Amino acid sequence: MAYRTEALFRDDAYLKTADATVVAVNDRGGIILDRTIFYATSGGQPGDTGHLERADGSRVAIAATISGETKDEIIHVPAPDHAVPEVGEKVSLAIDWERRHLLMRMHAACHLLTVVCPFPITGASVSEDDSRVDFDIPDASFSKEEVTARLMDLVRADHPIFTRLISDEELAANPGLVKSKNVRPPVGTGRIRLVCIGENASVDSQPCGGTHVKSTGEVGEIHIGKIEKKGRENRRFRIRFGPMPAA
């Protein structure tokens, strides 16, 4: 039996704390709640860490958050040797906000990179300090300096970032919304979540279930640390925080 966890982060990625009820503990000790602010590993973005606080004040450290049998079942993986709460217990949730905010800024930066480099995406990975996006690019004419300058133009423009829902039919009628070469967004629920950038999505719009900051300005200073050749037509762009180091 798969449980459905209400994913509070989908509507508000800035929630740092919340209350929830334990609905199950699986045979590996994974904790399933009725609702959560913890993002589960998906789409190249790692799951949240943090802790649950029990009524007696004791804390259960959460070392990872993953999906269960379905994307709607979110499992909170406790750190080793931590006692797990009982089914029916009410707990207070707190994510590692500093880490999450770095991931939100980085994930938004990855979206900006797909605007600067409008080519099919062959892979991506978000982390707190060094993220990557792989593109199917026929030539290697891009330079780190050029891409960085265009990224920072988008950051300084401080475009709004927001989400909206479309139907499966709307997605089918607009296949260009999907930038990934090999991965298709899940359909069948009738609701596809788009992450949009710019007034009326004038800068970008693509299916994504991750967490992002509210504006491009909040991404802060970023640069392309490296462009790597990963095949005849595959280029890996590495995004890092801060100014580009002096040559």
Side-chain angles (χ1 to χ4, degrees), residues 107-137:
H107 202 148
C110 289
H111 281 244
L112 295 180
L113 181 57
T114 71
V115 175
V116 174
C117 300
F119 297 94
I121 299 167
T122 56
S125 178
V126 182
S127 76
E128 300 101 301
D129 50 15
D130 184 317
S131 299
R132 66 169 174 85
V133 183
D134 301 346
F135 295 98
D136 191 351
I137 301 179

Side-chain angles (χ1 to χ4, degrees):
M1 170 185 171
Y3 293 88
R4 186 183 186 284
T5 307
E6 182 185 356
L8 301 175
F9 55 80
R10 288 210 180 103
D11 292 324
D12 185 355
Y14 287 79
L15 285 173
K16 303 176 183 69
T17 59
D19 296 320
T21 301
V22 179
V23 296
V25 177
N26 67 23
D27 54 6
R28 295 175 301 283
I31 303 161
I32 304 169
L33 307 170
D34 62 339
R35 61 208 295 261
T36 191
I37 53 175
F38 283 73
Y39 179 83
T41 300
S42 180
Q45 180 176 330
D48 282 320
T49 57
H51 69 264
L52 312 181
E53 186 167 317
R54 305 174 75 178
D56 64 3
S58 63
R59 290 184 172 184
V60 180
I62 300 301
T65 310
I66 59 175
S67 297
E69 292 183 34
T70 69
K71 287 280 188 186
D72 287 329
E73 183 178 85
I74 297 175
I75 298 173
H76 307 76
V77 180
D81 303 322
H82 273 255
V84 298
E86 303 285 335
V87 171
E89 245 187 85
K90 297 197 181 310
V91 290
S92 297
L93 288 57
I95 58 172
D96 179 342
W97 172 248
E98 284 192 19
R99 176 176 179 270
R100 157 71 85 77
H101 193 239
L102 287 171
L103 293 170
M104 287 164 61
R105 290 169 58 202
M106 267 296 194
H107 202 148
C110 289
H111 281 244
L112 295 180
L113 181 57
T114 71
V115 175
V116 174
C117 300
F119 297 94
I121 299 167
T122 56
S125 178
V126 182
S127 76
E128 300 101 301
D129 50 15
D130 184 317
S131 299
R132 66 169 174 85
V133 183
D134 301 346
F135 295 98
D136 191 351
I137 301 179
D139 66 79
S141 60
F142 287 90
S143 71
K144 293 187 299 181
E145 293 76 15
E146 176 195 359
V147 176
T148 295
R150 292 175 64 189
L151 283 172
M152 286 309 301
D153 285 344
L154 291 168
V155 169
R156 292 189 190 100
D158 201 18
H159 296 290
I161 302 176
F162 60 96
T163 61
R164 70 183 185 94
L165 298 173
I166 61 170
S167 65
D168 293 350
E169 293 72 27
E170 286 176 283
L171 181 67
N174 294 278
L177 290 172
V178 181
K179 298 190 176 188
S180 175
K181 186 176 182 178
N182 305 313
V183 181
R184 312 301 292 177
V187 296
T189 64
R191 287 154 52 101
I192 308 293
R193 181 180 187 257
L194 294 184
V195 171
C196 307
I197 303 175
E199 297 292 342
N200 299 313
S202 58
V203 175
D204 189 45
S205 185
Q206 59 179 294
C208 183
T211 61
H212 312 79
V213 286
K214 290 178 180 174
S215 71
T216 62
E218 198 175 334
V219 170
E221 188 153 28
I222 50 175
H223 68 276
I224 297 300
K226 188 183 291 189
I227 301 175
E228 301 167 301
K229 187 173 181 178
K230 290 294 180 179
R232 190 165 58 87
E233 295 185 349
N234 205 43
R235 301 290 182 275
R236 173 169 293 176
F237 289 68
R238 292 199 170 275
I239 307 176
R240 294 169 184 160
F241 285 127
M244 180 172 278

